Amino acid sequence: MKRGISILVLLLVGFALFAGGQKEAPKAPAAKPAEKQIVMRLAETHRADYPTTRGDMEFARLVNERTNGRIKIDVYHSSQLGEEKAVIEQVQFGAIDFTRVSISPLAAFAKHFDALQMPYLYRDAEHMWKVLNGPIGEEFLQSIEKANFVGLCWYDSGARNFYNSKREIKSPADLKGLKIRVQQSELMMNMVAALGAIPTPMPFGEVYSALQTGVVDGAENNWPSYISTSHFEVAKYYTLDEHTRVPEITIGSKIVMDKLSKEDQAIIKKAAKDSMPYQIAEWKKEEKIAEEKARKAGCIITVLPSNAEFQAAMKPLYDKLTPELQEVVRRIREVK
Ligand code: GTR
C-alpha cells in the first residue's frame, strides 16, 4: 500500500513538473499575415525612352522605394493601354490607376484647363513654371477631384510649333487651307481655324500615317515629339512659332486612390512631385538632342523674326473664354 502511494506521489509530481514545464515553454510568435503587394498601372502614350516616360518611371521607382516594394506601379508606355482620350476615360472610372497626359485632351473632361493652355499665354518656360509651381498650379491639381481625378504633378513639354509637308510657314497666311492635325481638344481646333487652316483632331498614334498618306498636311508639336514619332520624315517644314506651352500632367483615379490608406495616398502624391525635377532635366536634354536630329536630317526650320501676327490671330480665342477663365488668365499673366 505504501509503495502504491509513493508511486502515485511520483506520478503526481511528474505530472506537475510536466505541466509546469509546458507553461514555461516560450510561446511561438503569432504568424503576421504577409503584406499584400499592391500592383498599379500607369498609362503613357510615349515610347519607353521619351522624357515623360522617364519621369513616370522615376515616380514608380520612388513609390516602390518608399513603400519597401509594397506598392508597385507598372508603366505601360507606347499607348499600350490606349490613346490619351480613351485612357483618361478609364482613369475616370477606375479601370486604369494613373496616366500621364497632355492637358489638351484632359480639358474635354475639365474645361477650365483651357485657361492653362491658351496660345501665347506664358512669356516663357520660366513664367509657366512659376504658375504651375505656385498657388494657381496647386488649385488646378486640386480642381479635378470633381471630375474624379487626383491631380499629382506637372511635367515639361516645351513649346509647340507647326510643321507640314507642303511649304515653309512664315506667317499665318501660309497656313491657309492646310489640313492640320490637332489634339482632341476644342480649343486647339479653334486655334488652328483662327489661323486660317483646317483643324483635324485625331489621336497621336494615327498622325504619322495621316501625314504620310496626305489625310493631313501638317501637325504641331514640340521637338522631342516631332522626332520620336518620325513625323520629321514626312513633314519637313518646321516653323518656330511657339504658339503654345501645354503642360503635361500626371493624374490618378480618385476611385482607386480613395481605397488606399491616407499614408499611401501621401506617399504617392509626394513621389509624383519629387519626380518632377528629374523629368524637367531630362526634357531639357532631349529638346536639344531632338532639335539637332531634325537639323541633321535636313528639315527646313523657319525662325520667325516675330510671332506678332500669330499672336494677334489668337485674340478671338481669349474673347471667347468665360469670365471665370478670363480671370484665371489675368492672374496667370500677373505672375512675375
Ligand atoms: C505630346 C504630348 C502627348 C500627346 C501628343 C499629341 O507633346 O506629350 O501627351 O498629347 O503631344 O499631340 O497628341
Side-chain angles (χ1 to χ4, degrees), residues 163-165 211 217-218 226 231-238 299:
Y163 52 88
N164 79 97
S165 58
L211 283 166
D217 303 309
Y226 181 53
H231 292 176
F232 72 100
E233 289 171 0
V234 282
K236 65 173 180 183
Y237 298 100
Y238 194 89
C299 293

Side-chain angles (χ1 to χ4, degrees), residues 44-46 50 52 83-84 100-105 156-157 160 163 181-184 202-205 207 220-222 225 231 246 248 283:
E44 165 65 67
T45 200
H46 288 293
Y50 194 87
T52 52
E83 294 283 353
E84 289 192 328
R100 190 293 313 159
V101 286
S102 161
I103 67 164
S104 273
D156 206 349
S157 183
R160 295 177 78 103
Y163 52 88
R181 177 270 172 175
V182 287
Q183 290 163 292
Q184 291 170 291
M202 70 174 68
F204 194 43
V207 186
E220 45 89 54
N221 223 315
N222 49 48
S225 282
H231 292 176
V246 181
E248 312 275 23
W283 177 263

